[in-house]
Amino acid sequence: MSLEMGMTKSEEQMMDIFWSSETPLTSVDIVNMKVKDSWCNGLVHNIIRSLLKKGLLEECGMQHYGTQYARKIKPAYDRETYAAKFLISKMNGKASVSKVMAALAKEEDREEIIEELENIIRDMRKENTEDKTQKE
């Protein structure tokens, strides 16, 4: 995945469509949504191709449309995971993840953030314990 270069505005808008959808989409679905008048079939294909190449979208099946098939596509990461991976890629080892998390926490309700972080830590410790048990 090449997050270093980020996304263009059109790619961000396309990812918002995929992140908002509860099911995988095809390019035909997106063209039919008429999200933007300027998004013709060719442009939708180009944006999707770019996001697939960057590893932000992944194929997950096919759907029959008339005499042709269209690829079903879904996000490779949820919005939060993408944001975390993007931040980490931009830091280039120049800042610690914990300091970045602390800075982000200052922007939100602290009690809610603390509770969420405690849940995440608990889940990570549980996964770590399970991984160690499986290796033995």
Side-chain angles (χ1 to χ4, degrees):
M1 169 176 50
S2 69
L3 292 177
E4 293 80 26
M5 64 180 127
M7 288 189 277
T8 66
K9 192 69 172 167
S10 292
E11 288 172 340
E12 286 178 16
Q13 291 170 336
M14 182 70 72
M15 286 304 297
D16 283 338
I17 293 167
F18 280 99
W19 281 324
S20 298
S21 176
E22 295 181 9
T23 60
L25 299 170
T26 67
S27 59
V28 176
D29 296 330
I30 293 167
V31 170
N32 289 341
M33 286 178 192
K34 300 194 185 311
V35 178
K36 290 185 75 174
D37 291 333
S38 61
W39 281 13
C40 63
N41 195 27
L43 182 59
V44 168
H45 282 282
N46 286 341
I47 297 169
I48 289 173
R49 189 177 311 113
S50 175
L51 291 168
L52 285 165
K53 186 176 180 181
K54 289 180 179 182
L56 298 174
L57 293 177
E58 60 188 22
E59 295 178 22
C60 61
M62 301 290 278
Q63 186 166 339
H64 188 86
Y65 283 100
T67 60
Q68 298 180 1
Y69 285 89
R71 298 176 292 177
K72 285 185 170 185
I73 301 167
K74 66 178 185 174
Y77 306 99
D78 60 31
R79 190 183 311 263
E80 294 78 12
T81 302
Y82 167 77
K85 289 182 177 292
F86 181 75
L87 279 175
I88 290 168
S89 75
K90 289 295 185 184
M91 291 187 318
N92 286 333
K94 296 175 185 164
S96 75
V97 174
S98 58
K99 288 182 181 178
V100 172
M101 292 301 299
L104 289 171
K106 289 178 183 175
E107 300 297 319
E108 298 288 329
D109 176 26
R110 286 188 173 194
E111 284 304 314
E112 184 179 327
I113 293 290
I114 291 169
E115 187 177 323
E116 285 182 40
L117 289 172
E118 287 173 341
N119 289 335
I120 291 168
I121 291 168
R122 186 173 30 260
D123 291 345
M124 290 175 76
R125 284 191 172 134
K126 183 179 176 184
E127 288 175 14
N128 195 29
T129 303
E130 290 172 359
D131 289 346
K132 285 181 181 179
T133 306
Q134 290 176 354
K135 288 181 181 178
E136 294 174 355

